[in-house]
Structures are given as structure tokens and as C-alpha cells.
């Protein structure tokens, strides 16, 4: 039995075989082949497998987000079998005698170059498709695992670290738990694990060894403990704890249908953070009042190319319809920093968290932004939509973004396409600049939602991805909490509401502080809704408000 200790970032206990996540190796070896017919057949087999994989992806997209969503994969299917493309590959293999992967790589690059130089913008966009399709065939030919988990049984997934783009593409039905060598509690991978309700332990370092693959492991996402080859006593103890947790969940489920109101009568909305239309059932199962943050960039992270307006429209429409008139706040694309997407070709930066990120990318690439805004406005007739901009630092950015919204609405008017006329516009307050300017920003928008993950990172000058800063990264730091109070005061002075959608929203040690400063909405992962409701209902804010605000604004030195 081997016990290793990390940091628990998504509560729950999971047991199963340990599976190591493998990444794509992209090195292509060029070689002349002896048997050209056999090599051609190898290509034909890989081509058939690519068509099969794309068919499955199209079906999945159709099931989860409608017909429009499947279009990209169907286009790719056609491209794999395109006669010109196939003929060029046949020449490279049969006439010139090169191995299939090298030929596919050459032909893919040549076709991409040809598309990229065409006049027509539609044809230009096909360059990325042909590259993607060629990558898929090469992956099959070289036997490198494209992505994800190739196991017949559900597993505990181990990795050095997982990028959000990797986490989002993994088949969730195959994952019982996560364990990673690196990472931090407010990284997007930890956030995703919490949203999916999957136990996760991070930061175990080199105590996690590849030779443990296939052995039984139990992870405790609360304490951060992981046990490999547990003995009978430890297994029994952990399983009892798991049963107790399930019992607690059942007890909390009695709070469904109850109000989020304190003993002294103060109400707060409790909503959920999601990253996928498929998360909606767990939002409803946990009786949340709405969606306070839909991280729309996860749609982009799950695609191999820019998601079309139609694909996005179907996804947003699904979330809005499934939420049946409850509030849905969709945050516009927040890529950059740890959420990098190859097809965006963002510049390489020394410090990406400080650079091209969130609204900055959207304002610099308005054509991409407008595609998303069109999809959002078109979907708005299916529910109660609010649009929220991330990574704001000042008033001009919000005005420019709102102008693009106006442009999109005018275009839809011209095309006779309907949209709701009550779509609210809000911003995330997640930079110190936005918090400090919140008195002015409040005049521009309908609401604020505080992203405490980034607000803490930028205020405390500690990278949220990095486990290292340790005690210096304290999200309870009064600098962060004072900023939140200032933002809440400025919001209310200007007649708008304020929420908290960062991970601190679920931190029960701060619930009374948030209520004391008048936060109107807390948006948390689905599993955190009922514990939070319980905490709110036990609280008496009138009794603690003066003391808590006094501590916050007074002389007390932390910790
Ligand atoms: C935040 O920064 O607190 C937030 C909610 O956004 P994200 O975690 O996606 O950056
Ligand atoms: Mg953020």
C-alpha cells in the first residue's frame, strides 16, 4: 500500500484503476517504402477510421447541441474523402514511394497553403480544416493517441498536469477521479473537476509514478490523500466515508425548494457556474436559481477550429431552453492565460495572464467576437439571457464591446432575425483596475459579477496556476475583500446588482462576510449549492455585520 498526499480540490471519494493520460506525439518520420500497395492500403484504412471517428463526433455534437453543431464534423468527413486530396496522397505513396504519414503531412500543408491564398474568405477558412483533418489521419497512422481515455472501464485519471483544453475533451463518463502532479486549487482544471462533480487531488509531485498505472487507487478529493493498492482496512474506511458523504448529500437534498434566506430575512440568489450545456441537469438537480456564469470558452476549447455561429447558437439555445426562463449569464469568450487554443494563433507571451486575454482578444478580433454575439442574441429568444464580458480594466473597453453588441443587433434587424429586447449586459470584476473604477463602470452596465479567482491573482501578484506562492496566495486577504466591499457599494449606489462567481463564492467561511457587504448573488459549482443554502439559512447577518465589516476595514493584521 502506498499513500501519497496532495491537495484536495474537488470533494468526494473515488476508487478505480489508475490510468495515465498520454499526449499526442507529433514527430513525423519520413521514409521510403518498399511495398507501395501495402502503404496505400495503410492510408485507406486510416482514412476509413478517420471517417468513422468524425461520424461519432458529429453524432455526439448533434445529440448535445443540435444539427448545426454537427456541421463542422460532417464537413471534415467530406474533406477526408475529397477526391483531389486523396489523389495527391496516392501520388505521393504510389508514384514517389514515401510513407503515408509523411505524404499526408506534405499534402495537408500544400492544400492548406492553397486554401489560405484564395480570395474567398470561406475558402480561406478551409485551410484550418484541411490541417485538422490531416492531423487526425496522421494520428491514426502513427498510432499516437489523439486525446482522451482509451479504456473500457471508468478510471482515475493521472497526469503531470492537465490543460483546460485537455480536460474539456475527455469523455466524462470514463472518469471517476483526477490526480495530477502539478496544478493549483483555482486553476481551471480544478474548477472543471468541481463543476463536473468529480473528486480531484492535485499537486502530488513526483510521488505519483507511471509504473503505478493499472493498479487500484482511491482518491479523497477533500483531504487530498491518495492510496495505491489499499489494504482491506483502508478500503473499508474510505468506502464508509464515501457512504457518509452520500448520506450528507441526501440530507442536504431536503433543502431543495427552500429559499436562500437568512434568519434575519436577508435573501441572496444562489446560481451555478457551468462550462458545458451538459452541465444543466446537475444545475437543476441541485435546485439552483439560474446560471451565474457559463464559461463559453469551453465550447471553443472543445473544438478543433473556430466554432461556427450555428454551432454556438445551438449550444446557447439549449442552455437557455433547458433552464426554462431562469437567469442564464453567458460570459463571452475568455481565452488566453491558461486557456490557450491553437487555432487562435495568439502571440507567444512571456506572461500570458497579463496579456492577450478575455475581452482584449475579442476587441482585437471583432470578427470572432461578433460571431459569438450574433449566436447569443439569436439564442436570446429562448430564455432569460444576460451577456457578461471578462477581463475588463476600464470604461472604454466596455463601451467598445457594447457598440459591437449594438452593431450585431442592427444587423439582425436588417436580416429580420428576432432577438430578445431585455438582454442584460454585465461585466466581470476580476482586475484591481475594474474594482477601483467600479463607480464609473457601474454606469455602463446592468450588473457586476466578481471573479475572485483572477481578482485575487492580480491583486496579490500570485499566479493562480502555481502551487508555489503558498501562504502569500491568500484569497481571504483583506485587500481582496476590501475591493469586493468597494465594488458592492459602488454597484448599489448606482442601482445595479453585484454577484460573486469566483471560487470564493462557495467558501462557507466567507458567506456571512459576503452577505454583510450586500452581495446579491453567489454563483458556485452545482454540488456547492445546497451546502451554501444551508449556511445562508443558518446565518444571522444583523448580528455579525458590524463586527465583520469592522474587521475588514479596521487595523487587524492578517493572518
Ligand atoms: C474568476 O476569475 O474568478 C472567474 C470566475 O473566472 P475564471 O475562473 O474562468 O477566470
Ligand atoms: Mg477570471
Amino acid at each position: 500500500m502506498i499513500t501519497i498526499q496532495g491537495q484536495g480540490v474537488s470533494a468526494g471519494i473515488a476508487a478505480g484503476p489508475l490510468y495515465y493520460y498520454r499526449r499526442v506525439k507529433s514527430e513525423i518520420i519520413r521514409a521510403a517504402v518498399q511495398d507501395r500497395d501495402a502503404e496505400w492500403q495503410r492510408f485507406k484504412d486510416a482514412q476509413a477510421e478517420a471517417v468513422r471517428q468524425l461520424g461519432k463526433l458529429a453524432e455526439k455534437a448533434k445529440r448535445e447541441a443540435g444539427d448545426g453543431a454537427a456541421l463542422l464534423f460532417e464537413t471534415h468527413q467530406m474533406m477526408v474523402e475529397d477526391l483531389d486530396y486523396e489523389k495527391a496522397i496516392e501520388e505521393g505513396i504510389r508514384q514517389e514511394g514515401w510513407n503515408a504519414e509523411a505524404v499526408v503531412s506534405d499534402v495537408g500543408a500544400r492544400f492548406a497553403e492553397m486554401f489560405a491564398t484564395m480570395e474567398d474568405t470561406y475558402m480561406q477558412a478551409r485551410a484550418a480544416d484541411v490541417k485538422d483533418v490531416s492531423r487526425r489521419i496522421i494520428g491514426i497512422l502513427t498510432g499516437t493517441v489523439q486525446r482522451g481515455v482509451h479504456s473500457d472501464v471508468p478510471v482515475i485519471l493521472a497526469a503531470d498536469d492537465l490543460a483546460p483544453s485537455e480536460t474539456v475533451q475527455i469523455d466524462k463518463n470514463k472518469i471517476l477521479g483526477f490526480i495530477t502532479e502539478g496544478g493549483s486549487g483555482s486553476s481551471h482544471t480544478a474548477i472543471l473537476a468541481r463543476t463536473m462533480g468529480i473528486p480531484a487531488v492535485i499537486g502530488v509531485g513526483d510521488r505519483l509514478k507511471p509504473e503505478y498505472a493499472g493498479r487500484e487507487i482511491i482518491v479523497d478529493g477533500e483531504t487530498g490523500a491518495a492510496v495505491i493498492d489499499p489494504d482491506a482496512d483502508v478500503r473499508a474506511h474510505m468506502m464508509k466515508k464515501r457512504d457518509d458523504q452520500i448520506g450528507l448529500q441526501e440530507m442536504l437534498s431536503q433543502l431543495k425548494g427552500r429559499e436562500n434566506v437568512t434568519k434575519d430575512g436577508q435573501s441572496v440568489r444562489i446560481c451555478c457556474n457551468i462550462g458545458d450545456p451538459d452541465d444543466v441537469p446537475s444545475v437543476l438537480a441541485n435546485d439552483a436559481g439560474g446560471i451565474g456564469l457559463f464559461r463559453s470558452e469551453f465550447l471553443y476549447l472543445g473544438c478543433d477550429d473556430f466554432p461556427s455561429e450555428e454551432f454556438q447558437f445551438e449550444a446557447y439555445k439549449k442552455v437557455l431552453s433547458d433552464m426554462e426562463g431562469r437567469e442564464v449569464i453567458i460570459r463571452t469568450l475568455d481565452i488566453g492565460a491558461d486557456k490557450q487554443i491553437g487555432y487562435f494563433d495568439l502571440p507567444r507571451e512571456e506572461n500570458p495572464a497579463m496579456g492577450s486575454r478575455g475581452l482584449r482578444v475579442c476587441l482585437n478580433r471583432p470578427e470572432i467576437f461578433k460571431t459569438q454575439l450574433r449566436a447569443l442574441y439569436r439564442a436570446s429568444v429562448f430564455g432569460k439571457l444576460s451577456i457578461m464580458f471578462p477581463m475588463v480594466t476600464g470604461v472604454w473597453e466596455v463601451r467598445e464591446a457594447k457598440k459591437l453588441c449594438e452593431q450585431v443587433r442592427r444587423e439582425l434587424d436588417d436580416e429580420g432575425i428576432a432577438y430578445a429586447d431585455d438582454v442584460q449586459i454585465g461585466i466581470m470584476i476580476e482586475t484591481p483596475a475594474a474594482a477601483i473604477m467600479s463607480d464609473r463602470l457601474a454606469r455602463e452596465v446592468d450588473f457586476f459579477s466578481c471573479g475572485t479567482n483572477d481578482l485575487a491573482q492580480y491583486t496579490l501578484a500570485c499566479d493562480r496556476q502555481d502551487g508555489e506562492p503558498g501562504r502569500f496566495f491568500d484569497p481571504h486577504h483583506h485587500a481582496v475583500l476590501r475591493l469586493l466591499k468597494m465594488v458592492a457599494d459602488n454597484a448599489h449606489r448606482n442601482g445595479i446588482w453585484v454577484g460573486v462567481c469566483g471560487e470564493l463564492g462557495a467558501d462557507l467561511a466567507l458567506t456571512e462576510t459576503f452577505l454583510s457587504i450586500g452581495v446579491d448573488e453567489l454563483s458556485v459549482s452545482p454540488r456547492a449549492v445546497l451546502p451554501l443554502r444551508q449556511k445562508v439559512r443558518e446565518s444571522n447577518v444583523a448580528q455579525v455585520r458590524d463586527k465583520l465589516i469592522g474587521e475588514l476595514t479596521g487595523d487587524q493584521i492578517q493572518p
Side-chain angles (χ1 to χ4, degrees), residues 331 357 430 454 464:
R331 175 173 78 183
R357 185 182 167 185
E430 53 183 347
D454 280 312
R464 64 189 272 191

Side-chain angles (χ1 to χ4, degrees), residues 98-133:
W98 292 112
N99 58 329
E101 43 273 58
V103 175
V104 174
S105 170
D106 292 347
V107 171
R110 214 163 65 225
F111 273 58
E113 174 73 27
M114 184 182 76
F115 282 126
T117 51
M118 286 183 177
E119 286 280 301
D120 184 319
T121 50
Y122 174 82
M123 294 311 282
Q124 283 171 9
R126 302 286 67 78
D129 290 330
V130 78
K131 272 196 223 161
D132 198 30
V133 154

Side-chain angles (χ1 to χ4, degrees), residues 188 191 293 295 297 331 334 339 357 428 430 451-454 464 501-502:
H188 282 97
I191 290 171
L293 169 65
R295 291 179 163 97
E297 60 277 5
R331 175 173 78 183
D334 182 20
K339 290 177 285 193
R357 185 182 167 185
M428 297 207 49
E430 53 183 347
T452 50
N453 308 329
D454 280 312
R464 64 189 272 191
C501 65

Side-chain angles (χ1 to χ4, degrees), residues 12-68:
I13 290 183
L18 185 65
Y19 181 95
Y20 260 83
Y21 183 74
R22 283 170 288 162
R23 295 206 166 76
V24 183
K25 291 192 217 92
S26 54
E27 196 188 345
I28 296 165
I29 295 162
R30 183 174 300 274
V33 288
Q34 299 296 326
D35 187 343
R36 297 179 183 193
D37 286 342
E39 193 64 5
W40 172 242
Q41 190 52 48
R42 203 164 76 83
F43 165 75
K44 291 297 287 176
D45 293 346
Q47 183 189 38
E49 172 60 15
V51 170
R52 194 193 63 78
Q53 286 181 1
L54 287 161
K56 283 187 92 171
L57 286 171
E59 268 170 37
K60 181 168 184 275
K62 199 175 285 185
R63 241 187 354 264
E64 292 173 1
D67 285 348

Side-chain angles (χ1 to χ4, degrees), residues 333-335 346 349 351-366 390-394 396-397 400 431 433 458:
L333 183 62
D334 182 20
I335 57 149
L346 291 177
E349 297 171 294
N351 194 344
M354 302 287 206
S356 279
R357 185 182 167 185
L359 189 60
R360 298 173 181 183
V361 175
C362 291
L363 295 182
N364 285 339
R365 315 264 298 259
M391 192 66 184
V392 167
T393 58
W396 73 264
E397 300 160 10
E400 201 168 302
T431 62
Y458 294 125

